[in-house]
Amino acid sequence: ITYNDFVANNSSIVIENTLSEFSISKKDITTSKELPGATISICRTYKNDEGESSLLVDQYTGDCVEAVLADGTVATWKSGNEAKIIRGLASGTYYLVERIAPTDYSTAESILFTLNSDGTVSDSKGNNVSDKKIVMYDEPLVNKKTGNLSMYIVIGVLVGCATIGVLTYMYLRKVGIFKKRV
C-alpha cells in the first residue's frame, strides 16, 4: 500500500492511499516468452542475525510463509500467458519463489526484492527495477546439464569390462587353459 500526501480540507484531513501495483513475469530463458504452468508465491522474510533478509518458513510444514494482499488473498498463483499484476502488497522485503516449475523446466532460483513505501520496486542490491516488472526465468531441462552423462559412461565402461572378462574366461576355458576341477 502506498501512502500519498494528505490534504487538509475545511478542518478535516483526508489521507489518500493507493494500492501498490507491479507485475511479475515468468519467462523461458531461451525464448523470453511467457511461460505458463509454474506455481509461484511471494513469500515473507525476516532479518537474520547478520541483518540479511531470509526466507520466513513455517516450522511445521517447511513451506515459505506467503504474503497476503490488501484484499485478503494469498500471494500464490499459476503463471499464464501474460505477466501477473500484483495489487495491494504491503511495502517490505519479499522472496519470489517458484514452488513448482512447468513440465520440462528446471525450478528457478528465488528472487529477493523490496516493495518500497513509494511504490517502487528494488532488487536485492537496492537498484530500482525498471517498469516495476520482476522477471523470473526458467531453463528448459533439455538445455540443463545434469551430470548423468558421466555416470552413464562409467556404467558402460564397467559393463564392457565385465563382459570382456567373462568372454575371455570362457574362451580360455574352451581352449583348455582353464580346466574344471573335479
Side-chain angles (χ1 to χ4, degrees):
I1 300 173
T2 303
Y3 300 100
N4 295 330
D5 294 329
F6 66 90
V7 178
N9 182 7
N10 295 338
S11 72
S12 63
I13 297 177
V14 177
I15 298 176
E16 296 176 357
N17 295 328
T18 57
L19 294 179
S20 60
E21 184 175 297
F22 63 98
S23 66
I24 296 176
S25 187
K26 181 67 178 163
K27 294 188 176 192
D28 180 309
I29 197 164
T30 58
T31 65
S32 293
K33 292 182 179 178
E34 289 293 328
L35 184 58
T39 302
I40 302 172
S41 295
I42 297 174
C43 297
R44 295 174 44 201
T45 63
Y46 71 96
K47 295 283 185 190
N48 62 22
D49 293 338
E50 291 81 36
E52 300 167 339
S53 294
S54 294
L55 187 64
L56 184 60
V57 177
D58 183 292
Q59 66 179 348
Y60 300 108
T61 66
D63 290 335
C64 72
V65 178
E66 296 126 331
V68 177
L69 304 177
D71 66 1
T73 60
V74 175
T76 295
W77 69 95
K78 246 189 201 301
S79 64
N81 293 319
E82 295 180 5
K84 172 76 172 172
I85 304 298
I86 305 296
R87 287 185 186 91
L89 184 66
S91 60
T93 301
Y94 301 92
Y95 269 102
L96 182 63
V97 177
E98 181 176 28
R99 292 175 167 229
I100 302 172
T103 304
D104 298 328
Y105 283 85
S106 62
T107 304
E109 286 190 34
S110 298
I111 298 173
L112 182 67
F113 72 95
T114 299
L115 178 60
N116 302 302
S117 60
D118 64 359
T120 60
V121 179
S122 303
D123 64 18
S124 61
K125 295 177 183 162
N127 301 317
N128 277 347
V129 174
S130 66
D131 299 328
K132 296 192 326 183
K133 184 175 189 176
I134 299 171
V135 181
M136 178 181 265
Y137 292 99
D138 273 5
E139 186 174 345
L141 289 175
V142 293
N143 293 339
K144 186 121 175 116
K145 295 179 181 176
T146 60
N148 288 339
L149 180 60
S150 58
M151 179 183 69
Y152 293 134
I153 290 171
V154 169
I155 290 172
V157 168
L158 291 174
V159 168
C161 289
T163 303
I164 290 171
V166 169
L167 292 174
T168 302
Y169 171 77
M170 290 173 61
Y171 173 77
L172 293 175
R173 193 168 152 209
K174 182 178 180 182
V175 295
I177 293 178
F178 292 116
K179 296 185 179 181
K180 277 188 175 180
R181 292 183 184 177
V182 184

